[in-house]
Amino acid sequence: MTQENPEEGIYIGHTATIVEVYSLPTEGCELEFVNQDGTTKALFLLDLMTLNFVNS
């Protein structure tokens, strides 16, 4: 993400899983961030322009 969300404990550089991709009404996606034990830490619906994609 290009924006931090400290109240949720999410900072630039954290890794997330894309859960869903949307094209209407705008392009965006739903991201899930998890804790070390696999439980959901945060779930966000974001515009694709706010993401940095990394090849792995």
Side-chain angles (χ1 to χ4, degrees):
M1 293 177 33
T2 59
Q3 298 175 335
E4 295 187 340
N5 196 319
E7 58 272 3
E8 297 289 342
I10 305 300
Y11 298 94
I12 292 172
H14 280 182
T15 303
T17 299
I18 297 174
V19 177
E20 188 78 40
V21 176
Y22 303 96
S23 59
L24 295 174
T26 61
E27 290 185 338
C29 63
E30 189 172 6
L31 297 179
E32 180 182 26
F33 294 85
V34 297
N35 294 307
Q36 289 183 350
D37 65 0
T39 59
T40 299
K41 181 176 193 172
L43 197 59
F44 292 101
L45 181 58
L46 299 172
D47 184 292
L48 289 179
M49 299 304 293
T50 63
L51 302 176
N52 289 328
F53 293 96
V54 178
N55 293 330
S56 58

